[in-house]
Structure formats: C-alpha cells, structure tokens
Amino acid sequence: MKKKNFMVKRIARKVRVENQDLRSEFGLNPSAEREMTTLANKVSPQLYGMLVQQLMGFHADMQLEMAEDLVIFSYQHIAHSTGCPSVDFVLDICYSWIADEHSILKPGYKRFLYNYYNVREQ
C-alpha cells in the first residue's frame, strides 16, 4: 500500500501520520462493483481503479448511490450531490478526474487538481 500523505502534514507543524490498510475490512459492495463495471469503457484503467477505491469505507447503500452518480456523470456530465458532506467531497473529486479525462476540465485546473490531491498526473 502506498503511504498516504495527508494535507494536514504539509500545512501544520508536528503532525505524524500513522498509515493503516483497512481495505480488506471495508471493501466494495457487490452491487456497487457491478455498477462500476459500466465505467470500464468510459475511463482509463488507471482512473477506473482510482474511482473504485474512493467508494471503499462507505456504507454499502451509499457505495451503490455513489457508483450510480459516477456512471451518470461519465455518460451525461451531470453531477449529483447527496447532502452528505464526506460523500459529496469524494464525488466532487471523482467528477473532476473524469472531467479531466473527458477533456471538459476548464483550463488551468489540471495542475491544481493533481497537485492538491497528491495524485500523479496522467
């Protein structure tokens, strides 16, 4: 597992990050996984893997909702929100990654998007 470097480590003094790998305990809901396969032809394999990982740790029903929202965005470029701040934050980032791959990201935002979220540019 790649070590996570939280933003707080960069902006605050005397912060230590303890990395854990809980993916095996909080995996993907089978229904959400099936829904996500719809994205396989709409995004690159690298982005697909990143999107799937974003669902982990959320409740099974919320994973399915998020998967459906990502599929809709990938096909129609319509962004849905859920009213749950943590979920909407993750969806917003995922929508931005998809927008970049679909070449609809506004000029000047690509560097911000990939630098801020510490993701390697494609």
Side-chain angles (χ1 to χ4, degrees), residues 57-101:
F58 288 102
H59 185 274
D61 292 338
M62 185 57 80
Q63 287 181 359
L64 180 56
E65 177 63 35
M66 294 169 76
E68 290 170 350
D69 292 345
L70 292 173
V71 169
I72 290 168
F73 186 82
S74 293
Y75 280 85
Q76 301 172 356
H77 298 149
I78 298 171
H80 287 95
S81 66
T82 65
C84 300
S86 58
V87 174
D88 290 343
F89 181 79
V90 169
L91 285 173
D92 197 25
I93 299 308
C94 293
Y95 295 151
S96 300
W97 291 339
I98 295 166
D100 178 36
E101 267 204 6

Side-chain angles (χ1 to χ4, degrees), residues 22-118:
L22 301 175
R23 291 177 291 184
S24 63
E25 296 176 45
F26 299 97
L28 202 56
N29 168 5
S31 297
E33 189 171 15
R34 275 191 305 279
E35 183 70 22
M36 289 296 286
T37 59
T38 308
L39 293 176
N41 296 326
K42 295 298 285 182
V43 298
S44 69
Q46 179 185 7
L47 179 55
Y48 178 78
M50 290 167 48
L51 295 172
V52 167
Q53 288 183 13
Q54 301 312 304
L55 304 184
M56 294 176 146
F58 288 102
H59 185 274
D61 292 338
M62 185 57 80
Q63 287 181 359
L64 180 56
E65 177 63 35
M66 294 169 76
E68 290 170 350
D69 292 345
L70 292 173
V71 169
I72 290 168
F73 186 82
S74 293
Y75 280 85
Q76 301 172 356
H77 298 149
I78 298 171
H80 287 95
S81 66
T82 65
C84 300
S86 58
V87 174
D88 290 343
F89 181 79
V90 169
L91 285 173
D92 197 25
I93 299 308
C94 293
Y95 295 151
S96 300
W97 291 339
I98 295 166
D100 178 36
E101 267 204 6
H102 289 193
S103 300
I104 62 169
L105 193 65
K106 291 179 180 177
Y109 285 95
K110 186 172 184 168
R111 176 170 280 151
F112 165 78
L113 180 64
Y114 289 96
N115 286 341
Y116 183 79
Y117 295 104
N118 200 21

